[in-house]
Amino acid sequence: MPVLNERAYLRHAVESVLAQEVGGPTELVLALGPSSDGTTELARGLAAADDRIRLVENPAAHIPVGLNAAIRASRYPTIVRVDAHSELAPGYAAHALQTLARTGAANVGGVMHAEGRTPFQKAVARLYNSPVGLGGGAYHGGRTEGEAESAYLGVMRRAVLDEVGLFDETIRRGEDWELNLRIRQAGHAVWFDPELSVTYWPRENWLRLARQFRATGAWRGELVRRFGRSNGLRYFAPPALVLLVVLAVVVGVLQLTGVLGGVASILASVLVYGPIVLYVLLVVAVACARGGGDLRQRLWTLAVLPTMHLSWGLGFLTGVLRGARDTVDASRLGSRNTPLP
């Protein structure tokens, strides 16, 4: 478990891991980044109270670096990746081990079920669980078991990780997808099992959400630079929306200044403004749909869905054009989260 500024979530995440029963020895290796909210002190206290918890340092604060440090320090043949912002469902590990044995896969993952506490976080969680929000990947609500492109978190065979070379430490986001690409290229299967479920707690405010999605989009753009068509077509929808918005602004300026008029103006309006109007109607429909929550949650949905798409799309274009470079997910830095009840 890589950990950075997760004081509000760490105890619950650790408890959900230690409650797993697999009929054999287990350990939890925490890779500690330089937290500023008391997370490190909490982690040390948890480790002092349970000898199954081991600590390694991750001064770089990068997720793949921390994951590799934890994996190298681990002692058992199965690696279960967990997240400090998540909670494993009861029986998760045991069921995943059974699926590994049954399918012969190298990596098994399940559904990322997002939940929230505040109206904002509930709106984000609902969109995480919707194909409209995050593009319909299997782990965002798929129901059909079978081979998959990637796996959320993942329960992995250590031997396969050693074979393909662990996580690529030059990739700051999307490291799971890239690792699973190498696993599949090596001839192994990545498996999705909808019976596996992990609770995920999204970011707590609008700014952190925008930062998270911009960074994630930038690294997907970097992955497109590196791996081209291995990336699915759904990743190109948000940047297309950003380009459409930019084009609409340009057309609007040309119309207001009189440069564009007549039939050309009408045609441009239909081709450019039409899709944007349809997108706005889609956002309103999602906010008003059944299960949208109370009025505050629905109002937040109107802001959250475009934020997710536009932030991700803007980051993607930046990543494609110049590479992700040193882009990091700044949404976890300087965290002052409210503890979970």
Side-chain angles (χ1 to χ4, degrees):
M1 179 190 295
V3 179
L4 177 66
N5 287 323
E6 296 288 7
R7 179 179 58 85
Y9 297 91
L10 181 61
R11 184 180 298 276
H12 287 257
V14 167
E15 289 174 349
S16 76
V17 171
L18 297 181
Q20 302 293 314
E21 297 180 359
V22 298
T26 61
E27 63 184 356
L28 171 59
V29 187
L30 303 181
L32 302 179
S35 296
S36 59
D37 67 346
T39 293
T40 298
E41 292 74 16
L42 174 59
R44 288 172 179 163
L46 294 171
D50 195 312
D51 60 10
R52 291 175 294 175
I53 301 175
R54 303 171 61 211
L55 307 178
V56 297
E57 296 298 323
N58 177 24
H62 297 312
I63 291 176
V65 175
L67 286 170
N68 285 347
I71 291 170
R72 292 187 182 106
S74 65
R75 297 171 289 187
Y76 299 118
T78 305
I79 302 296
V80 182
R81 176 178 175 177
V82 289
D83 190 280
H85 232 63
S86 302
E87 295 176 29
L88 302 184
Y92 174 92
H95 185 96
L97 290 172
Q98 292 172 0
T99 303
L100 273 179
R102 172 170 57 85
T103 63
N107 189 9
V108 169
V111 175
M112 183 186 77
H113 180 71
E115 292 189 8
R117 293 172 283 165
T118 65
F120 173 83
Q121 200 177 38
K122 288 178 180 178
V124 177
R126 177 169 172 261
L127 295 173
Y128 262 78
N129 297 330
S130 166
V132 177
L134 290 183
Y139 57 83
H140 290 301
R143 298 181 180 179
T144 303
E145 182 177 12
E147 292 195 34
E149 176 185 20
S150 188
Y152 176 58
L153 299 182
V155 179
M156 299 165 274
R157 299 181 189 274
R158 173 64 180 270
V160 174
L161 290 180
D162 290 338
E163 174 189 341
V164 302
L166 303 186
F167 288 91
D168 185 336
E169 296 185 1
T170 69
I171 297 175
R172 305 297 184 230
R173 305 286 294 180
E175 69 282 349
D176 296 285
W177 180 89
E178 190 276 336
L179 173 65
N180 283 298
L181 175 64
R182 281 186 283 125
I183 288 174
R184 290 185 287 111
Q185 289 175 339
H188 304 288
V190 177
W191 196 264
F192 171 71
D193 185 346
E195 295 300 317
L196 295 171
S197 179
V198 179
T199 297
Y200 173 78
W201 299 93
R203 298 298 186 267
E204 303 82 1
N205 62 53
W206 180 86
L207 182 58
R208 284 183 181 150
L209 181 74
R211 287 174 172 173
Q212 177 193 20
F213 272 74
R214 190 191 71 82
T216 303
W219 279 102
R220 177 53 59 179
E222 175 69 30
L223 293 175
V224 167
R225 287 169 63 97
R226 296 190 189 191
F227 302 105
R229 295 183 63 183
S230 297
N231 296 267
L233 288 176
R234 69 179 184 274
Y235 297 121
F236 295 86
L241 175 63
V242 172
L243 293 176
L244 189 62
V245 171
V246 172
L247 183 59
V249 172
V250 172
V251 169
V253 170
L254 294 177
Q255 289 173 329
L256 289 174
T257 57
V259 175
L260 189 64
V263 176
S265 177
I266 295 173
L267 182 61
S269 296
V270 172
L271 295 178
V272 177
Y273 299 145
I276 292 179
V277 170
L278 291 176
Y279 177 76
V280 171
L281 292 175
L282 172 64
V283 173
V284 172
V286 172
C288 296
R290 178 180 295 182
D294 60 21
L295 178 60
R296 289 186 299 169
Q297 184 178 332
R298 292 176 186 274
L299 291 175
W300 270 121
T301 299
L302 295 174
V304 165
L305 186 55
T307 296
M308 292 167 64
H309 291 160
L310 293 174
S311 297
W312 200 99
L314 183 61
F316 179 95
L317 292 172
T318 302
V320 166
L321 293 174
R322 69 176 186 87
R325 298 184 182 178
D326 58 352
T327 301
V328 297
D329 179 5
S331 66
R332 293 183 186 268
L333 302 180
S335 176
R336 289 293 186 272
N337 300 334
T338 302
L340 285 165

